[in-house]
């Protein structure tokens, strides 16, 4: 992973965390399926509603980054603790 890729991914994570402070960073990994696509692995306790809100936020931002920078990012939630 290049320095630019890591910087873009961490900026993407920080923007996501600002909107969803319950998230914590775990790691960045390349997608096994697509070149120039990276998964930002995170943890956090989220309701289903909150997860939907996060997915919508991430999709909008990911589109902007793809258009501006040519890299695709996805935020993957690990070990979710379901709450009511």
């Amino acid at each position: 992973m290049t320095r630019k890729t890591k910087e873009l991914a961490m900026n993407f994570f920080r923007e996501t965390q600002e909107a969803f402070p319950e998230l914590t960073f775990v790691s960045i990994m390349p997608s096994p399926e697509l070149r120039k696509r990276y998964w930002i692995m995170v943890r956090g306790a989220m309701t289903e509603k909150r997860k939907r809100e996060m997915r919508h936020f991430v999709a909008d931002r990911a589109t902007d980054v793809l258009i501006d920078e040519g890299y695709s990012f996805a935020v993957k939630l690990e070990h979710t603790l379901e709450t009511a």
Side-chain angles (χ1 to χ4, degrees):
M1 174 180 320
T2 67
R3 186 179 325 165
K4 179 180 179 175
T5 304
K6 187 170 185 177
E7 182 179 313
L8 288 170
M10 291 309 297
N11 287 341
F12 194 101
F13 168 72
R14 280 190 283 277
E15 289 177 23
T16 304
Q17 190 182 42
E18 283 179 24
F20 302 90
E22 62 269 37
L23 296 178
T24 57
F25 178 80
V26 175
S27 65
I28 304 165
M29 62 184 291
S31 166
E33 300 159 349
L34 299 171
R35 190 171 162 263
K36 286 194 168 185
R37 180 165 175 83
Y38 295 88
W39 294 350
I40 302 168
M41 308 304 285
V42 299
R43 285 193 182 119
M46 301 180 97
T47 64
E48 285 299 319
K49 179 182 177 190
R50 192 76 169 145
K51 284 190 247 180
R52 282 191 303 275
E53 291 169 354
M54 184 194 72
R55 284 191 294 266
H56 182 72
F57 175 88
V58 167
D60 287 346
R61 284 299 301 130
T63 300
D64 294 341
V65 173
L66 180 61
I67 291 168
D68 294 342
E69 302 291 342
Y71 289 89
S72 176
F73 293 102
V75 174
K76 302 283 188 176
L77 190 60
E78 298 185 332
H79 305 288
T80 306
L81 303 173
E82 297 281 335
T83 58

